[in-house]
Amino acid sequence: MTANKIPQDLLIAAKTAWQNAYAPYSKFQVGAALRSSSGVIYSGANVENAAYGLTRCAEQSAIQAMASAGERQFTEIVIYTTATDPATPCGACRQILHEFAADATVFIANAQGVKYIFRVSELLPGAFTAKRLPV
Ligand code: THU
């Protein structure tokens, strides 16, 4: 889906988070900011580790901040990088976003503005959900 309107407050928060990214190994900074259902903005950046596999993505950091504050739903998220073709969420992040809002809007942006808009469910068709757990 191609894009038009992006929430400016979320874009600003995502850019601020991007500045705080800890990415000394990949040098690829990512910032994410989401709006919870109660209207609060939570943001996060990628946080890498010398043991590379322990890296946390920006989307995960933002979701952790939201869930740790006791919130369980969000309506929209902006993911910001300076890549020419800006980064879409990795597979693991798609599942993590889906846990809290299959219907949320995902804005993918770079320094030129918003490039793509998706719905979380569109990014992860057939997602694993609690409905699939044994009863
Ligand atoms: N990264 C994210 O923060 N989000 C994604 O969805 C994909 C990748 C980070 C992880 C790592 O620090 C860097 O980008 C390069 O993979």
Side-chain angles (χ1 to χ4, degrees), residues 10 34-42 66-67 70-77 100-104:
L10 285 185
L34 60 83
R35 193 182 326 278
S36 72
S37 302
S38 74
V40 176
I41 293 177
Y42 296 92
M66 180 196 83
E71 303 231 36
R72 296 291 181 261
Q73 251 200 327
F74 67 100
T75 54
E76 46 190 358
I77 182 168
F100 294 99
D103 289 336

Side-chain angles (χ1 to χ4, degrees), residues 53-70:
L54 299 180
T55 290
R56 289 290 167 267
C57 290
E59 299 90 326
Q60 295 180 34
S61 297
I63 288 285
Q64 293 287 340
M66 180 196 83
S68 300

Side-chain angles (χ1 to χ4, degrees), residues 86-98:
T88 52
C90 74
C93 285
R94 292 174 192 213
Q95 180 71 34
I96 287 167
L97 295 175
H98 192 279

